[in-house]
Amino acid sequence: MSFSQNTYIYLIVAALTIYAIRALPLTLIQKEITNTFIRSFLYYVPYVTLAVMAFPAIITATSTPVSGIVAFLVAVVVAWIDGNLFKVAVASCVAVYVTELIVL
């Protein structure tokens, strides 16, 4: 098989997997979910998925991974204390700038 055939196979498998994940619950579950554990688990799935996709980008967005990690930690602390998105973004940018000055 050539590279392009493998790529198409991977795309088809990914599409079928995504379709199965979305279609099977609609067809198999006919009544409302009352279990509190499952409901809370399903409630947080989108947030966890977003975090899993965003975290590697946060670390690799800067010239050194150290500054990305420092910015992430600063963002978590500022968000925990204040929760204002603008302050979190500014603090993270300042943390990257200062870390880059120190590291380089």
Side-chain angles (χ1 to χ4, degrees), residues 12-86:
I12 290 169
V13 169
L16 290 175
T17 304
I18 291 170
Y19 180 75
I21 289 171
R22 291 177 183 262
L24 285 179
L26 291 174
T27 58
L28 297 179
I29 300 173
Q30 298 296 325
K31 59 182 182 174
E32 184 178 345
I33 298 171
T34 58
N35 187 329
T36 56
F37 176 76
I38 294 175
R39 286 180 63 92
S40 64
F41 174 78
L42 293 175
Y43 177 79
Y44 288 109
V45 165
Y47 301 111
V48 171
T49 305
L50 181 62
V52 167
M53 291 187 309
F55 185 73
I58 293 169
I59 302 302
T60 59
T62 59
S63 63
T64 62
V66 174
S67 59
I69 293 169
V70 169
F72 173 73
L73 295 175
V74 167
V76 168
V77 169
V78 173
W80 188 272
I81 292 170
D82 186 14
N84 186 343
L85 183 60
F86 181 73

